[in-house]
Amino acid sequence: MERYISKIIEFLGDDPGRPGLRETPRRFLNALLELTYGLRESPPSIKFFPMEGNKYVGRISINDIEFVSLCEHHLLPVMGTVTVVYEPLNSEVPGLSKVARYVKWLAARPMLQERFTVRLANELKEVLHAKYVYVRVCALHMCAMIRGVKDEDMYMVTEAWTDGISSDELKELRNSVHCKVPKIVLTKEY
């Protein structure tokens, strides 16, 4: 694979043998492997904790889980946050970090944000043993920021929800759930 990456560098018009680029094929390959570990690793297990005789009535919101992924069209980074809202079916609740690990695992592959959002909602409903799940994803796409339209301020918001949520609950969630978007300044006058 490193030979192929060297050939790409050569095709672009540079010398893959020069000192600054000698290690680049290995580093690039390692970066791609890190950004796509979700394709090769099993999903993280979700550990549940009992509420000790109490039943939790209400919903749980986990906000601004940061993730990094790759746009499947250009293999350029996608960076954003996920907010997950769900209502548990029983008196067990998952570990907070496990939900974040699941989001990061699912994001660690080439993706379309729209498909990622729907898949995340559907899979989390199962693994969280939830009555319903609502997911909102806000993300910056480097493919739109640094090439093509070159719009530094544009970001995408997607949402998905599963069955089990009432229309009133959905309306309220859609109006109240917000997520933050990482801010990257590419050009600025100083």
Side-chain angles (χ1 to χ4, degrees), residues 50-58 87-93:
M51 292 285 293
E52 299 178 18
N54 299 322
K55 181 170 172 134
Y56 183 81
V57 178
E87 187 173 325
L89 277 175
N90 54 38
S91 58
E92 291 185 327
V93 293

Side-chain angles (χ1 to χ4, degrees), residues 35-36 39 67-82 103-117 119-120 137-141 143 156 158:
L35 290 168
T36 60
L39 294 171
F67 73 91
V68 176
S69 189
L70 291 174
C71 160
E72 70 181 44
H73 295 148
H74 304 95
L75 294 182
L76 289 172
V78 175
M79 296 163 287
T81 62
V82 172
V103 168
K104 292 172 187 288
W105 168 80
L106 191 59
R109 65 195 72 227
M111 59 103 116
L112 285 176
Q113 183 175 329
E114 299 90 337
R115 185 174 56 237
F116 167 69
T117 306
R119 183 173 172 190
L120 188 57
V137 179
C138 298
L140 297 169
H141 293 250
C143 57
M156 181 185 280
T158 50

Side-chain angles (χ1 to χ4, degrees), residues 1-2 5-6 9 16 18-35:
M1 292 307 299
E2 290 180 29
I5 297 165
S6 290
I9 293 169
R18 73 175 171 84
L21 287 175
R22 259 188 227 129
E23 301 295 320
T24 297
R26 179 186 46 80
R27 286 191 299 260
F28 180 74
L29 186 57
N30 286 339
L32 281 179
L33 289 170
E34 182 180 335
L35 290 168

